[in-house]
Amino acid sequence: MSRYPSLQIHPGRGLGFLILGASLHDVLTRLKAQPHLYPTIHVSYSPAQPLLAPVVLDLPANGFRLRFDGPDQRLRLIEILDFGKTQLSYKNIDLVKLPEATAAVSAKPGNPGQHGPAFRHVYNRLMGPTFPGEYFPPQDATGSHTGLYILSYPGLAFTFPLQHTAWSSTADFVSLLSSNAAASAKSLAIFIGNSWHEARQTLFVQPCLNPRSLALSMKGKEHQPDEVDLVNVCGGGVVELVRRSSTPFRVILGETTPQDLVAELGPPDAIYRKNDHRLSIHRTRRRKQRASHGSYGVSPARSDDLFDTDQSSAHTTTDDSDVEDHIDPREDDHEQPAAKCFYNYFHHGFDVFISYPSNPSPPFPHLRSSAHPTTPPKAMGHLVATKILLHGNVPGSYPFNRYRRSRWVIDAETSGSIDGLDSETSFSTLSEELRNVWKGNYASEQAEKAMQNAIVLDRDWGDSPGSSYEVLEGWEDGEPAQKKGSAAQQGSGSGTTQIFGFPGMLFEVLKNDTGLVQGSEHPGIMWILDSPPPPRPHQDEPPACAQQSMPSPASKLLPKNWKSTLCLPRTSFPARNERTDRDKYLGKCTKDLYRWQRETRTTEHEGDFVLHDGPPFANGPLHIGHALNKILKDITCRFQLSLGKRVDFVPGWDCHGLPIEIKALEQQPACVPVGSSVLREPGEIRRIASRLAHDAFTKQRDDFQQWGIMADWDKPWKTMDQDYELRQLEIFKSMVKKGLIHRRRKPVYWSPSSRTALAEAELEYRDNHNSTAAYVKFPMDLDVRHCRGSQLWSYPQTGSGCVRVNALIWTTTPWTLPANRAIAVRSDIMYYIVNNPTHGRLLIASTAVKELEKVLPDGFEVIDNIMGEHLVGQKYWDPIYGAETQQRPMLNAWFVSSEIGTGLVHMAPGHGMDDYETCQQHGISAYAPVDDAGCFVANALPTWAKDLGSRPVLFEGNAWVVKVLGSCGSLVKAYDHCHKYPYDWRTDQPVIVRATEQWFADVGQIQETALKSLETVNFLPASGRARLRSFVNSRAEWCISRQRTWGVPIPALYLKDGGKAIMTSESIEHIIKVVAERGTNAWFTDAENDPGWIAPSLLDQFGMHKIRRGQDTMDVWFDSGTSWTTMLKDGDKQICAPADVYLEGTDQHRGWFQSSLLTYVAQQSIRTTDQAAGSSAALAPFKSLMTHGFVLDGEGRKMSKSIGNVISPEQIIEGTLLPRNAFSGGHDVLGPDALRLWVASTDYTSDVKVNLSFLQSVQTTLKKYRITFKFTLGALQDFRGPLTYVSNELAVQHRMAILKLQQVHDSIRVHYSNGEYNRAVADINRYIAQDVSAFYMEAVKDVLYTDRGEARWQAQLTLLIIHQGLQTMLAPVTPLLIEETWEHTSDYIKEAFPHPLQTQWPMQKARLDLFKDAQLAKDLPLLDEARKAINTAQERARSAKCMGSSLDCHVMLQFEKVGPGIRNASQCFQRYLPDLATIFVVSQVD
């Protein structure tokens, strides 16, 4: 069974259960009830126009998006954006076949989407013929060459990418979309209408005939009450509910009973009871189970659709009882608190308050008649509906998503300027009109002002539906109810909503810091009351008690609001990270900050700091390793910026190389069969590769910026830029002039899968590679005159003193035996001649006897021995070639081991580096009968071995050689052997060693200079020095040529006759000039005989028909290794100053670090040669070299898609790896700072693990940061005191806090300077937890909240210093958080201090040094010890339930022993005795 969600497509109707026209509330309810299928739901809307712009639900894990209109919040458009995450079908035919192995819900954000259905599948199988659609050409700004063709059917439209060059308005669309120029469908839209062209004009405004309720849309459901379309507020406590198909239902407040409501509207979704603040969610029952209750039972029709949408209620129960079980209609005790409750109709969009009747509200003045008499309430002894709450469900309001949007109209007479008052009317207009309606109906002008004197509420996502009741109760009692998590006050303030009153109705309106939200000043909730709300006291009017008059029944006294007497912290700084503000802060703390420091800071001040970027590969999406690397660089740069330096960090990209070329080759025409040897022309390959690299570069650049990386993003460098390629060719020319570049035939690592030579840095070594190992006999006539024994003399001799024996070799590469040219021995090893019944006399090393016992089960005896020095020069026959060749020599070689194998090594100089070097010394040439594809070459093999031709050497060819050896009697044993073996890191396939003609850089000439240049480099970690030295020391030559197309061409010319290479300074200089005019692509695309590429002197010498251009390209490590040329200053054409830092992964010791070092040192050696003697010693291109490890999962495993343990940076940023929020049902967005804090918290010098527990600690830490800043910003909002103090004028608790800040400030600067970012973060966290939260905040809260004089100013000044210190210390790690704190900082502080991201650390330290207190610094450890002891004693007392608050404590300090130490301690505590109670946060200290 498929693990993908499976949904049927219904054109013009919907997708599965998602029916067009359904309400946002119903859709969200259904989606959130199935988190295993729909794990991620992103809601977006327009804050400026929440009821005009559409509301969008994005389900990235399922690949589709839902769009709702703003006013009615009904589903209007379903978009399929990724066909690989949900199994879609139409009439039981799948749109795309999905693999069964991977569930859709496991799809990671950022992964490339599944291709949609092909046009032929849609046209021929699914939908059939249709009319031509619309074509949209590519936009110039995107740089894309692909347009979009929208193929439309009734209620359905597919989008197909189409190459713009193929588009023609006269062409048949069926032919176009069936051709190779069109790709599979990119997206699918489901809508109501005959075609997309027709429907899109009125998509969000046309009437919708489908019901809002998903339950009503489903077939086979039992009857349920009709849905309410509109609420008509008639006035006088009368509300008319206009229903979709039934007759309207009138609710008369004070008369309509709960039974009436259930009969007409169905049972409520929940009941909120005032007495215990409990929300009861009802389960449904079948009617036959409760038939006796008739219409009072809960309708079973909602049994499959009822889900609790209010996740916030802490006191929620689920009840199986029916409505009447909660409210007894016979109850006549008006004081019974359980009687008052809300009927919550989530699916209708309103609540009805059930209580006992009170005075009715007046009708609208123009409707006053006998139809609306003003009469006292009837003497009813039962409960009735007394209030209705209509929920506007405005996006951004606290109850958003909890209710279906309720649309209403007010049946009041309005001015001629507007048509009427409804739920889409802005409140400013609505308020003005209602004031005119009721004008002249107030007792006095003061009464009217009092009614319109709004109260301000702090509404948040933790408020339950019942909170509305508490607000109403507070209004009627004269003061809004105060509850945990909410604040209410009169007038203006920092609340989120305001309440305005009119006779018979109240409006709750969204509010922000500047007043009503512009564009969204729509009522979030409308209350319809059975009695008019009491007037509010006006702000300018003294309270009733001040007038010494008795309160009237219509105007109750306000109780004293003690909260208003406190100086509580108030700030607009949010407690949570908001995704909507991210882009604003990102731009300010990245691009804007980088531009500011480059323009305003000069090198004469603190100097430049240059971090040279190691270029990432422009191929594929970014991964968690990229995040570790780039964020470490950014933290380093930001710290240097805080020291006052001007940062130079220009990002770069490595754009050439095999992976991109392979992708380009994959984009062959459809007419070319898969695996065909027919390839594109080089020019076409380079064009496609360039586009692929540019697209990847653009995407990666945008993603890097989302991580808060401060860099010169406007001017990055790329290795495929023409100016970069020209500088690279200049370096190459200089190395040729120095004699460092040469061409020869020698063994190199060769990748058959890539068909190119590889450098060591392009290899990955696998420990579990399986090879066929073999013991093979090589016959020889051994000269026994040097044998130490005499037994061998008794055997038949073949010549003068010679006896036939077999030299036994062991190899793991039998396929190299056809290329054998010698056997290596070591002169200082003792060799035995042993006799075996099966294989005769064998020559082996004496140390191999034990291993040979395993190989020869029938045993053997040692018959003689001989030293290796006497074997050197003796001859043997090759068992494969036999008599076809002459005898071959035994040579002495240092690499022969006595520990492994038999002590004799077969040498194939064409397939081994060491073999080649040894054979070269004896004039033996390299021979390699293997082609570029890694197959044997038939014409290079002996006559009998022609069958080996075209067989892959690593597979069939290897097995064939073993078979041949067995047939000729030379094979002793063959078996599978698991060992370490090199693989091509790009294709993930094994490589071979093969002799080919290649270009090499002679590293040996500059090796010592390069090693010496490392002596002045600072390495972090220190082990990096030995690692880099070992790689440089082990490399004598560097193969820099590659047999590929996508890269910088090696500027070599060749004679067509004989293939001799021509490369001189003159020829290269000429080629560079042509490249500057034509570009490197022309090298591959220009005509073969184009004379423009040939220097005039060569044309004169050879003519243009005898010379051809080479096709090799440079190693990509040579590309990136010359990236230091991007640091060249104007006017300097040869060498630049070293960068301050290179920072990359530890694998770059053999890669970019080494190639940069070698090219940089080589260029200096050339410059030294050109200049006079006595030049300074060569330098490395970096002053400091920092390296980091790899990112592993929580179990220490390398991340792999096959394992399923890959974690993307976006998952950390979006918080999707953490458990869902229990209230919202979604994931808490953590933001880029979470990713950065994770990086900074790790010990990057070794491999880094990422797991759930680590990320949870990061989340907790970020919350602590925000809480701390929220406190300090709130405490400083009204700070207007002096900004400087003399240290000894501050109270001791303030001086202690500043001293602690000084200490942590100094230690963190040291950690940052040493690159120990994890230690810096640990110190910051400890400081916030212990010194700020546990000590200082507790010590000064009373003063901050209650004092308005000098003491409060001192506390605020100290908090300001702490606040700025935290900003400075956290700026390198969490720049978005710091930018956000600055956004919410008071203007008074902004005018006095620079931006925290621009603050210089030395200036901050100088300010802290003004508060130095030597005596306090000496006493501080003792005070801290005492505080810790007191805290420990308090915890014991709390555990024993002997105390609560710390202020319950009276502390007595006793000194039992007498001595100098005790005397000093006593003096210390006496010195601070008046302040000890404050320091320890207790009542008294003696």
Side-chain angles (χ1 to χ4, degrees), residues 576-577 579 1211-1231 1234 1259 1263:
R576 301 178 184 88
N577 176 66
R579 183 189 287 109
Q1211 287 177 292
I1212 297 178
I1213 292 174
E1214 299 301 328
T1216 56
L1217 296 173
L1218 299 175
R1220 292 176 176 275
N1221 186 300
F1223 160 62
S1224 67
H1227 296 282
D1228 289 335
V1229 177
L1230 302 183
Q1259 181 188 33
K1263 286 182 179 179

PDB file of all heavy atoms in Angstrom, residues 576-577 579 1211-1231 1234 1259 1263:
ATOM      1  N   ARG A 576       8.442  36.258  20.345  1.00  0.00           N
ATOM      2  CA  ARG A 576       8.721  35.178  19.399  1.00  0.00           C
ATOM      3  C   ARG A 576       9.329  35.735  18.130  1.00  0.00           C
ATOM      4  O   ARG A 576       9.103  36.885  17.763  1.00  0.00           O
ATOM      5  CB  ARG A 576       7.448  34.393  19.053  1.00  0.00           C
ATOM      6  CG  ARG A 576       6.753  33.756  20.241  1.00  0.00           C
ATOM      7  CD  ARG A 576       5.480  33.053  19.769  1.00  0.00           C
ATOM      8  NE  ARG A 576       4.719  32.514  20.880  1.00  0.00           N
ATOM      9  CZ  ARG A 576       3.804  33.189  21.566  1.00  0.00           C
ATOM     10  NH1 ARG A 576       3.549  34.447  21.244  1.00  0.00           N
ATOM     11  NH2 ARG A 576       3.154  32.624  22.571  1.00  0.00           N
ATOM     12  N   ASN A 577      10.066  34.903  17.466  1.00  0.00           N
ATOM     13  CA  ASN A 577      10.620  35.268  16.173  1.00  0.00           C
ATOM     14  C   ASN A 577       9.507  35.292  15.134  1.00  0.00           C
ATOM     15  O   ASN A 577       8.740  34.348  15.016  1.00  0.00           O
ATOM     16  CB  ASN A 577      11.698  34.254  15.763  1.00  0.00           C
ATOM     17  CG  ASN A 577      12.237  34.518  14.380  1.00  0.00           C
ATOM     18  OD1 ASN A 577      12.871  35.532  14.142  1.00  0.00           O
ATOM     19  ND2 ASN A 577      11.985  33.609  13.463  1.00  0.00           N
ATOM     20  N   ARG A 579       8.438  35.463  11.203  1.00  0.00           N
ATOM     21  CA  ARG A 579       8.949  35.249   9.851  1.00  0.00           C
ATOM     22  C   ARG A 579       8.735  36.475   8.973  1.00  0.00           C
ATOM     23  O   ARG A 579       9.538  36.778   8.092  1.00  0.00           O
ATOM     24  CB  ARG A 579       8.267  34.036   9.220  1.00  0.00           C
ATOM     25  CG  ARG A 579       8.800  33.699   7.840  1.00  0.00           C
ATOM     26  CD  ARG A 579       7.975  32.639   7.126  1.00  0.00           C
ATOM     27  NE  ARG A 579       8.153  31.305   7.675  1.00  0.00           N
ATOM     28  CZ  ARG A 579       7.246  30.660   8.371  1.00  0.00           C
ATOM     29  NH1 ARG A 579       6.088  31.254   8.632  1.00  0.00           N
ATOM     30  NH2 ARG A 579       7.448  29.445   8.832  1.00  0.00           N
ATOM     31  N   GLN A1211      15.404  23.305   7.495  1.00  0.00           N
ATOM     32  CA  GLN A1211      14.659  22.610   8.549  1.00  0.00           C
ATOM     33  C   GLN A1211      14.985  23.202   9.917  1.00  0.00           C
ATOM     34  O   GLN A1211      14.109  23.295  10.783  1.00  0.00           O
ATOM     35  CB  GLN A1211      15.002  21.121   8.535  1.00  0.00           C
ATOM     36  CG  GLN A1211      14.407  20.351   7.363  1.00  0.00           C
ATOM     37  CD  GLN A1211      14.837  18.896   7.373  1.00  0.00           C
ATOM     38  OE1 GLN A1211      16.005  18.571   7.168  1.00  0.00           O
ATOM     39  NE2 GLN A1211      13.894  18.018   7.625  1.00  0.00           N
ATOM     40  N   ILE A1212      16.220  23.580  10.118  1.00  0.00           N
ATOM     41  CA  ILE A1212      16.595  24.207  11.390  1.00  0.00           C
ATOM     42  C   ILE A1212      15.985  25.593  11.487  1.00  0.00           C
ATOM     43  O   ILE A1212      15.438  25.988  12.531  1.00  0.00           O
ATOM     44  CB  ILE A1212      18.132  24.260  11.518  1.00  0.00           C
ATOM     45  CG1 ILE A1212      18.716  22.842  11.548  1.00  0.00           C
ATOM     46  CG2 ILE A1212      18.536  25.025  12.774  1.00  0.00           C
ATOM     47  CD1 ILE A1212      20.222  22.798  11.618  1.00  0.00           C
ATOM     48  N   ILE A1213      16.048  26.356  10.392  1.00  0.00           N
ATOM     49  CA  ILE A1213      15.514  27.713  10.403  1.00  0.00           C
ATOM     50  C   ILE A1213      14.009  27.701  10.651  1.00  0.00           C
ATOM     51  O   ILE A1213      13.494  28.492  11.443  1.00  0.00           O
ATOM     52  CB  ILE A1213      15.843  28.417   9.075  1.00  0.00           C
ATOM     53  CG1 ILE A1213      17.351  28.673   8.968  1.00  0.00           C
ATOM     54  CG2 ILE A1213      15.075  29.729   8.948  1.00  0.00           C
ATOM     55  CD1 ILE A1213      17.783  29.221   7.628  1.00  0.00           C
ATOM     56  N   GLU A1214      13.308  26.801   9.990  1.00  0.00           N
ATOM     57  CA  GLU A1214      11.847  26.753  10.119  1.00  0.00           C
ATOM     58  C   GLU A1214      11.391  25.967  11.335  1.00  0.00           C
ATOM     59  O   GLU A1214      10.201  25.937  11.646  1.00  0.00           O
ATOM     60  CB  GLU A1214      11.237  26.139   8.860  1.00  0.00           C
ATOM     61  CG  GLU A1214      11.522  26.930   7.580  1.00  0.00           C
ATOM     62  CD  GLU A1214      11.000  28.353   7.651  1.00  0.00           C
ATOM     63  OE1 GLU A1214       9.968  28.570   8.311  1.00  0.00           O
ATOM     64  OE2 GLU A1214      11.644  29.248   7.074  1.00  0.00           O
ATOM     65  N   GLY A1215      12.308  25.305  12.032  1.00  0.00           N
ATOM     66  CA  GLY A1215      11.948  24.588  13.254  1.00  0.00           C
ATOM     67  C   GLY A1215      11.197  23.298  13.029  1.00  0.00           C
ATOM     68  O   GLY A1215      10.587  22.759  13.961  1.00  0.00           O
ATOM     69  N   THR A1216      11.251  22.751  11.814  1.00  0.00           N
ATOM     70  CA  THR A1216      10.442  21.565  11.510  1.00  0.00           C
ATOM     71  C   THR A1216      11.022  20.289  12.108  1.00  0.00           C
ATOM     72  O   THR A1216      10.347  19.257  12.094  1.00  0.00           O
ATOM     73  CB  THR A1216      10.313  21.388   9.987  1.00  0.00           C
ATOM     74  OG1 THR A1216      11.623  21.330   9.394  1.00  0.00           O
ATOM     75  CG2 THR A1216       9.555  22.549   9.374  1.00  0.00           C
ATOM     76  N   LEU A1217      12.247  20.337  12.609  1.00  0.00           N
ATOM     77  CA  LEU A1217      12.829  19.152  13.238  1.00  0.00           C
ATOM     78  C   LEU A1217      12.395  19.012  14.688  1.00  0.00           C
ATOM     79  O   LEU A1217      12.559  17.956  15.289  1.00  0.00           O
ATOM     80  CB  LEU A1217      14.361  19.214  13.166  1.00  0.00           C
ATOM     81  CG  LEU A1217      14.973  19.181  11.762  1.00  0.00           C
ATOM     82  CD1 LEU A1217      16.460  19.422  11.830  1.00  0.00           C
ATOM     83  CD2 LEU A1217      14.683  17.856  11.089  1.00  0.00           C
ATOM     84  N   LEU A1218      11.849  20.068  15.250  1.00  0.00           N
ATOM     85  CA  LEU A1218      11.451  20.066  16.652  1.00  0.00           C
ATOM     86  C   LEU A1218       9.982  19.664  16.784  1.00  0.00           C
ATOM     87  O   LEU A1218       9.212  19.736  15.820  1.00  0.00           O
ATOM     88  CB  LEU A1218      11.667  21.459  17.252  1.00  0.00           C
ATOM     89  CG  LEU A1218      13.111  21.965  17.240  1.00  0.00           C
ATOM     90  CD1 LEU A1218      13.175  23.391  17.753  1.00  0.00           C
ATOM     91  CD2 LEU A1218      14.011  21.060  18.066  1.00  0.00           C
ATOM     92  N   PRO A1219       9.579  19.226  17.957  1.00  0.00           N
ATOM     93  CA  PRO A1219       8.163  18.866  18.152  1.00  0.00           C
ATOM     94  C   PRO A1219       7.248  20.043  17.863  1.00  0.00           C
ATOM     95  O   PRO A1219       7.636  21.201  17.999  1.00  0.00           O
ATOM     96  CB  PRO A1219       8.119  18.473  19.641  1.00  0.00           C
ATOM     97  CG  PRO A1219       9.520  18.090  19.984  1.00  0.00           C
ATOM     98  CD  PRO A1219      10.407  18.966  19.162  1.00  0.00           C
ATOM     99  N   ARG A1220       6.043  19.733  17.469  1.00  0.00           N
ATOM    100  CA  ARG A1220       5.075  20.772  17.152  1.00  0.00           C
ATOM    101  C   ARG A1220       4.658  21.541  18.399  1.00  0.00           C
ATOM    102  O   ARG A1220       4.651  21.006  19.504  1.00  0.00           O
ATOM    103  CB  ARG A1220       3.839  20.166  16.491  1.00  0.00           C
ATOM    104  CG  ARG A1220       4.111  19.605  15.112  1.00  0.00           C
ATOM    105  CD  ARG A1220       2.866  18.931  14.559  1.00  0.00           C
ATOM    106  NE  ARG A1220       3.109  18.481  13.210  1.00  0.00           N
ATOM    107  CZ  ARG A1220       2.968  19.243  12.137  1.00  0.00           C
ATOM    108  NH1 ARG A1220       2.565  20.478  12.281  1.00  0.00           N
ATOM    109  NH2 ARG A1220       3.221  18.772  10.934  1.00  0.00           N
ATOM    110  N   ASN A1221       4.305  22.775  18.184  1.00  0.00           N
ATOM    111  CA  ASN A1221       3.767  23.597  19.250  1.00  0.00           C
ATOM    112  C   ASN A1221       2.421  23.034  19.688  1.00  0.00           C
ATOM    113  O   ASN A1221       1.530  22.809  18.860  1.00  0.00           O
ATOM    114  CB  ASN A1221       3.619  25.043  18.760  1.00  0.00           C
ATOM    115  CG  ASN A1221       3.202  25.996  19.861  1.00  0.00           C
ATOM    116  OD1 ASN A1221       2.150  25.845  20.466  1.00  0.00           O
ATOM    117  ND2 ASN A1221       4.037  26.973  20.121  1.00  0.00           N
ATOM    118  N   ALA A1222       2.278  22.791  20.968  1.00  0.00           N
ATOM    119  CA  ALA A1222       1.055  22.153  21.470  1.00  0.00           C
ATOM    120  C   ALA A1222      -0.169  23.025  21.237  1.00  0.00           C
ATOM    121  O   ALA A1222      -1.285  22.515  21.109  1.00  0.00           O
ATOM    122  CB  ALA A1222       1.198  21.867  22.965  1.00  0.00           C
ATOM    123  N   PHE A1223       0.022  24.335  21.149  1.00  0.00           N
ATOM    124  CA  PHE A1223      -1.124  25.225  20.964  1.00  0.00           C
ATOM    125  C   PHE A1223      -1.480  25.398  19.497  1.00  0.00           C
ATOM    126  O   PHE A1223      -2.586  25.124  19.063  1.00  0.00           O
ATOM    127  CB  PHE A1223      -0.833  26.585  21.584  1.00  0.00           C
ATOM    128  CG  PHE A1223      -1.713  27.678  21.057  1.00  0.00           C
ATOM    129  CD1 PHE A1223      -3.085  27.624  21.248  1.00  0.00           C
ATOM    130  CD2 PHE A1223      -1.185  28.742  20.347  1.00  0.00           C
ATOM    131  CE1 PHE A1223      -3.898  28.619  20.745  1.00  0.00           C
ATOM    132  CE2 PHE A1223      -1.995  29.731  19.851  1.00  0.00           C
ATOM    133  CZ  PHE A1223      -3.353  29.682  20.053  1.00  0.00           C
ATOM    134  N   SER A1224      -0.500  25.837  18.694  1.00  0.00           N
ATOM    135  CA  SER A1224      -0.788  26.154  17.290  1.00  0.00           C
ATOM    136  C   SER A1224      -0.879  24.925  16.417  1.00  0.00           C
ATOM    137  O   SER A1224      -1.478  24.968  15.344  1.00  0.00           O
ATOM    138  CB  SER A1224       0.300  27.089  16.748  1.00  0.00           C
ATOM    139  OG  SER A1224       1.547  26.413  16.672  1.00  0.00           O
ATOM    140  N   GLY A1225      -0.287  23.814  16.844  1.00  0.00           N
ATOM    141  CA  GLY A1225      -0.267  22.630  16.005  1.00  0.00           C
ATOM    142  C   GLY A1225       0.809  22.662  14.951  1.00  0.00           C
ATOM    143  O   GLY A1225       1.048  21.680  14.263  1.00  0.00           O
ATOM    144  N   GLY A1226       1.504  23.793  14.805  1.00  0.00           N
ATOM    145  CA  GLY A1226       2.587  23.926  13.844  1.00  0.00           C
ATOM    146  C   GLY A1226       3.928  23.972  14.550  1.00  0.00           C
ATOM    147  O   GLY A1226       4.039  23.786  15.759  1.00  0.00           O
ATOM    148  N   HIS A1227       4.946  24.241  13.758  1.00  0.00           N
ATOM    149  CA  HIS A1227       6.293  24.324  14.303  1.00  0.00           C
ATOM    150  C   HIS A1227       6.646  25.777  14.586  1.00  0.00           C
ATOM    151  O   HIS A1227       6.286  26.677  13.828  1.00  0.00           O
ATOM    152  CB  HIS A1227       7.308  23.740  13.318  1.00  0.00           C
ATOM    153  CG  HIS A1227       7.122  22.276  13.056  1.00  0.00           C
ATOM    154  ND1 HIS A1227       7.534  21.302  13.945  1.00  0.00           N
ATOM    155  CD2 HIS A1227       6.553  21.616  12.015  1.00  0.00           C
ATOM    156  CE1 HIS A1227       7.241  20.113  13.450  1.00  0.00           C
ATOM    157  NE2 HIS A1227       6.639  20.271  12.287  1.00  0.00           N
ATOM    158  N   ASP A1228       7.343  26.011  15.669  1.00  0.00           N
ATOM    159  CA  ASP A1228       7.816  27.353  15.993  1.00  0.00           C
ATOM    160  C   ASP A1228       8.965  27.709  15.063  1.00  0.00           C
ATOM    161  O   ASP A1228       9.981  27.007  15.015  1.00  0.00           O
ATOM    162  CB  ASP A1228       8.292  27.424  17.446  1.00  0.00           C
ATOM    163  CG  ASP A1228       7.135  27.343  18.422  1.00  0.00           C
ATOM    164  OD1 ASP A1228       6.013  27.702  18.030  1.00  0.00           O
ATOM    165  OD2 ASP A1228       7.347  26.922  19.572  1.00  0.00           O
ATOM    166  N   VAL A1229       8.802  28.781  14.338  1.00  0.00           N
ATOM    167  CA  VAL A1229       9.865  29.238  13.440  1.00  0.00           C
ATOM    168  C   VAL A1229      11.017  29.777  14.278  1.00  0.00           C
ATOM    169  O   VAL A1229      10.823  30.646  15.132  1.00  0.00           O
ATOM    170  CB  VAL A1229       9.337  30.324  12.484  1.00  0.00           C
ATOM    171  CG1 VAL A1229      10.460  30.850  11.600  1.00  0.00           C
ATOM    172  CG2 VAL A1229       8.211  29.774  11.638  1.00  0.00           C
ATOM    173  N   LEU A1230      12.222  29.259  14.059  1.00  0.00           N
ATOM    174  CA  LEU A1230      13.378  29.667  14.851  1.00  0.00           C
ATOM    175  C   LEU A1230      14.158  30.788  14.192  1.00  0.00           C
ATOM    176  O   LEU A1230      14.757  31.601  14.868  1.00  0.00           O
ATOM    177  CB  LEU A1230      14.301  28.463  15.079  1.00  0.00           C
ATOM    178  CG  LEU A1230      13.664  27.250  15.769  1.00  0.00           C
ATOM    179  CD1 LEU A1230      14.710  26.178  16.000  1.00  0.00           C
ATOM    180  CD2 LEU A1230      13.012  27.651  17.075  1.00  0.00           C
ATOM    181  N   GLY A1231      14.168  30.834  12.869  1.00  0.00           N
ATOM    182  CA  GLY A1231      14.873  31.892  12.164  1.00  0.00           C
ATOM    183  C   GLY A1231      16.331  31.567  11.919  1.00  0.00           C
ATOM    184  O   GLY A1231      16.895  30.612  12.474  1.00  0.00           O
ATOM    185  N   ALA A1234      18.937  30.762  14.723  1.00  0.00           N
ATOM    186  CA  ALA A1234      19.020  29.415  15.301  1.00  0.00           C
ATOM    187  C   ALA A1234      20.090  28.600  14.589  1.00  0.00           C
ATOM    188  O   ALA A1234      20.878  27.883  15.225  1.00  0.00           O
ATOM    189  CB  ALA A1234      17.668  28.710  15.210  1.00  0.00           C
ATOM    190  N   GLN A1259      17.027  26.191  20.673  1.00  0.00           N
ATOM    191  CA  GLN A1259      15.737  26.870  20.775  1.00  0.00           C
ATOM    192  C   GLN A1259      15.551  27.502  22.148  1.00  0.00           C
ATOM    193  O   GLN A1259      15.136  28.658  22.268  1.00  0.00           O
ATOM    194  CB  GLN A1259      14.612  25.877  20.489  1.00  0.00           C
ATOM    195  CG  GLN A1259      13.220  26.492  20.555  1.00  0.00           C
ATOM    196  CD  GLN A1259      12.123  25.442  20.463  1.00  0.00           C
ATOM    197  OE1 GLN A1259      12.291  24.313  20.935  1.00  0.00           O
ATOM    198  NE2 GLN A1259      11.010  25.792  19.851  1.00  0.00           N
ATOM    199  N   LYS A1263      15.278  31.557  23.081  1.00  0.00           N
ATOM    200  CA  LYS A1263      14.155  32.099  23.860  1.00  0.00           C
ATOM    201  C   LYS A1263      14.668  32.887  25.055  1.00  0.00           C
ATOM    202  O   LYS A1263      14.129  33.942  25.399  1.00  0.00           O
ATOM    203  CB  LYS A1263      13.249  30.953  24.323  1.00  0.00           C
ATOM    204  CG  LYS A1263      12.382  30.358  23.221  1.00  0.00           C
ATOM    205  CD  LYS A1263      11.486  29.260  23.773  1.00  0.00           C
ATOM    206  CE  LYS A1263      10.597  28.673  22.677  1.00  0.00           C
ATOM    207  NZ  LYS A1263       9.735  27.570  23.189  1.00  0.00           N
TER     208      LYS A1263
END
